[in-house]
Amino acid sequence: MKKLSNGRLSVEADSFTDHFHSSISFDSRMYREDILGSIAHARMLGKQNIIDKAEAELIISGLEDILRDIEKGKISFDEKAEDIHMNVESILTERIGAAGKRLHTGRSRNDQVALDIRMYLKTKIKEIKVLIHRLLGVLNKIAEENTETIMPGFTHLQNAQPVTLAHHVLAYFEMFSRDSDRLSDCFKRTNVMPLGSGALAATTYNLDREAVMAELGFDSITRNSMDGVSDRDFVCETLFCLSVLMMHLSRFCEELVLWSSRQFGFIEISDAYATGSSIMPQKKNPDMAELIRGKTGRVYGELMALMTTLKGLPLAYNKDMQEDKEGVFDAIDTVMMCLPVFTNMLDTMTVNGDRMLSSARLGFMNATDAADWLVKQGMPFREAHSVIGGIVMYCIEKGKNLEDLSLEEYKSFSSLFTNDIYESIDLRECVNRRRVKGGPSKEYIDTVIAENKRLLEGERFL
Ligand code: ARG
């Protein structure tokens, strides 16, 4: 059979060339978008009297049958037909005859593929937002259960100041909620209907682009036909959004790996999300967290690959652009696997609050609070900093913590010390006195958790 696109070619491509440039092995996943787009296009062609109404009906019912048959697994695609667009069209023509040949009137595969990928990404962005929404719910739940779970806060991975586990996980709540917002923003620019751009210079047919836009649920239509077929910004943006999301997952995974080590012992990952070792019988490894961390690299890679592919392309369509799909599909698949695994892993982990607290007692994390206490008694901060520095050195020598020193010992460093110093260096106090908005105090965190609950019930994350 002569190929649909071989108007002026007399020699058939050899099978290896067909295999090389065919995209059906990966773009077949857009069959639904392709068919719905064609149905809308055919309906509009009929309404506009560009093709006969009866033929338009025939095309539409033919396409609906093909969609059903694909979903039942009854159709196998042909590599020789190159891509999903030509596969669907040739199956249609085989089934309904001459009318099928009218479907492509006023359309090019260039605007067709731009339409399909936009529709596909719109669906996936929404699905990913649902997965993020679930993760946010679990984070908020963990926070709610741990508003008084004291743990060390780190800088340079050294004990710095005490925080709570709630404060720590709510930092991630902020990151993942921005990831969700970023996807919504990207959705807006993806939600533009390119059909009508034709190959690059639009078409002489009197298309009703707005009708197609409305039927397919788009917000607006592209304003320039050359841009309509050349623009892949929205694919780059999707990849960027997914890269940042993976970065956040990866940072948290790194912490889970650390926290589940014997040295930290802050958490225990459920057996369902851990693995053993083939040689060391005692081992329980945080493989899922490591794998998510590892998969982050490939998502970044897809972003760089597409940006690099696009950077030298003259307007308008070039076949290079076919390379947009495998990368973004892989990034989507990766994110859609990682998110539920991660969410479930968090949801089922055990928090070891005692270990967090005893670790928070190490490293004089209340030293800033002790200095602040002296400042409140009238000492200039620089002086207080140096007095407490001296006390810390003394403690290290004696193998003690700040809270273990007697009042006499304190007084030997400054006559300003009274019994009140002990309350001010109590770790729980150190946390809860940080009442400023954005801080770790239980008082403030409780309000954040309540607000998060309201947000999770609203529209923002859906
Ligand atoms: N498979 C192609 C792609 O993914 C469809 C567009 C082909 N257009 C063309 N003029 N060769 O980009």
Side-chain angles (χ1 to χ4, degrees), residues 21 23 26-27 30 82-85 108-110 113 232 317-319 321-325:
H21 83 143
S23 53
F26 50 88
D27 66 16
M30 303 191 303
E82 199 178 318
D83 53 27
I84 185 62
H85 326 297
S108 156
R109 273 186 299 152
N110 297 352
V113 73
R232 294 292 183 275
Y317 179 85
N318 303 269
K319 182 82 168 192
M321 291 162 81
Q322 179 167 293
E323 288 289 309
D324 61 352
K325 280 175 278 305

Side-chain angles (χ1 to χ4, degrees), residues 13 26 39 41 44 95 105 145-146 154 189 227 243-244 250 264 276 299 333 343 346-347 361 368 393 402 439:
F26 50 88
I39 289 175
H41 182 66
M44 181 275 293
R95 289 184 175 193
T105 313
E145 292 162 359
N146 291 285
F154 302 94
R189 279 177 292 280
D227 181 52
S243 293
V244 179
S250 185
F264 274 80
V299 176
D333 293 346
T343 303
L346 275 190
D347 200 19
R361 289 197 198 288
T368 314
M393 269 167 64
L402 287 177

Side-chain angles (χ1 to χ4, degrees), residues 17 33 80 96 110 125 157 164 167 177 187 209 233 242 320 354 392 398 428:
T17 310
E33 290 74 17
K80 276 200 170 346
I96 69 167
N110 297 352
I125 287 173
L157 199 56
T164 61
H167 196 51
S177 55
F187 186 92
R209 298 188 63 204
D233 297 3
L242 299 182
D320 316 45
D354 292 342
V392 166
K398 300 270 170 198
R428 215 163 289 280

Side-chain angles (χ1 to χ4, degrees), residues 141-157:
K141 188 196 81 180
I142 295 173
E144 195 167 19
E145 292 162 359
N146 291 285
T147 55
E148 293 178 273
T149 309
I150 304 286
M151 67 177 281
F154 302 94
T155 61
H156 315 273
L157 199 56

